Amino acid sequence: MVADMHRTIKYGGIFMYPANKKSPKGKLRLLYECNPMAFVVEQAGGAAIDGKGRILDIVPTSIHQRTPIFIGSKDDVAEIKDYIEKYDS
């Protein structure tokens, strides 16, 4: 994930690891993977969401809690959030 974030920060774009049928709560761990990368990307001027809200606003309920993540430039993340709000049933 560090290499993916390096590429995203350097060249732009978005990194997505959404929830799916096999992993309905997402696959990446909130405390170990999502929060550190969300912090770095937000400090660089980007954004990180779980599809509903900011990753850094999630209050952990367990040490290995998992979450979906959409992380990258503010514009790309806002566009993904609009798609999710429009098409999520």
Side-chain angles (χ1 to χ4, degrees), residues 5 9 34-48 54 56 71-74:
M5 287 299 92
I9 291 170
C34 296
N35 274 346
M37 290 300 129
F39 180 78
V40 170
V41 169
E42 285 192 7
Q43 292 300 307
R54 287 179 65 225
L56 295 176
I71 188 168
S73 71
K74 281 186 180 178

Side-chain angles (χ1 to χ4, degrees), residues 5-67:
M5 287 299 92
H6 177 265
R7 184 192 66 238
T8 302
I9 291 170
K10 186 172 181 178
Y11 299 112
I14 190 166
F15 173 81
M16 297 184 287
Y17 216 125
N20 56 34
K21 290 180 183 178
K22 186 177 177 184
S23 304
K25 293 184 179 180
K27 205 158 186 185
L28 298 181
R29 292 171 294 172
L30 177 65
L31 291 176
Y32 308 124
E33 297 164 324
C34 296
N35 274 346
M37 290 300 129
F39 180 78
V40 170
V41 169
E42 285 192 7
Q43 292 300 307
I49 63 170
D50 66 349
K52 298 173 186 155
R54 287 179 65 225
I55 291 289
L56 295 176
D57 289 341
I58 299 172
V59 178
T61 56
S62 72
I63 196 162
H64 295 293
Q65 178 179 348
R66 295 178 185 271
T67 185

